[in-house]
């Protein structure tokens, strides 16, 4: 018996991934912070929750913040990040979460099929250096 064809990832979600998500880890961080409750996370909390290194969690949070998907609160020198449910991207993030829950492999494949834009990568590397100084 033939399996029904899987629905394609909606175009608005595909465009969002292309514009804002460069790894599955970035997606996981974004979905953690946008998961229904308005909560602030430190890089350490994200690292522990997602079983990733502190350096990687910090880098993903900074990337998502630069993309204006997260807002920060400075808590005695330790930044905390949260997703703003009133942001202009909240609707598409909710749709992305739904699609990812239903078609995880398709979303992961799509993320890895998008070659990194060399100009964007160069620009991001420059920004990281500037942010760290």
């Amino acid at each position: 018996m033939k399996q029904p064809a899987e629905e394609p990832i909606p175009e608005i979600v595909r465009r969002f991934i292309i514009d804002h998500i460069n790894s599955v880890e970035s997606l996981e961080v974004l979905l953690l912070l946008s998961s229904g409750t308005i909560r602030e996370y430190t890089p350490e909390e994200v690292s522990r929750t997602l079983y990733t290194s502190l350096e990687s969690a910090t880098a993903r949070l900074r990337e998502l913040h630069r993309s204006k998907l997260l807002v920060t609160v400075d808590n005695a020198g330790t930044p905390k990040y949260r997703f703003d449910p009133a942001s202009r991207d909240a609707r598409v993030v909710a749709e992305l979460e739904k699609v990812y829950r239903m078609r995880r492999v398709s979303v992961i494949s799509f993320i890895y099929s998008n070659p990194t834009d060399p100009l964007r990568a160069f620009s991001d590397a420059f920004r990281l250096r500037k942010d760290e100084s």
Side-chain angles (χ1 to χ4, degrees), residues 20-84:
H20 299 289
I21 305 297
N22 59 17
S23 69
V24 174
E25 187 176 47
S26 291
L27 174 61
E28 293 283 346
V29 170
L30 177 62
L31 294 180
L32 172 67
L33 272 71
S34 68
S35 64
T37 58
I38 300 174
R39 178 175 170 219
E40 298 164 349
Y41 286 85
T42 64
E44 291 81 6
E45 291 169 322
V46 170
S47 172
R48 276 194 311 273
T49 303
L50 296 179
Y51 303 101
T52 189
S53 72
L54 177 58
E55 296 78 17
S56 188
T58 300
R60 300 302 78 78
L61 288 164
R62 287 179 179 166
E63 289 169 6
L64 294 167
H65 179 256
R66 275 195 307 275
S67 291
K68 299 186 182 353
L69 295 170
L70 304 179
V71 295
T72 60
V73 176
D74 190 2
N75 184 21
T78 302
K80 287 189 167 192
Y81 297 83
R82 72 174 170 80
F83 180 74
D84 179 7

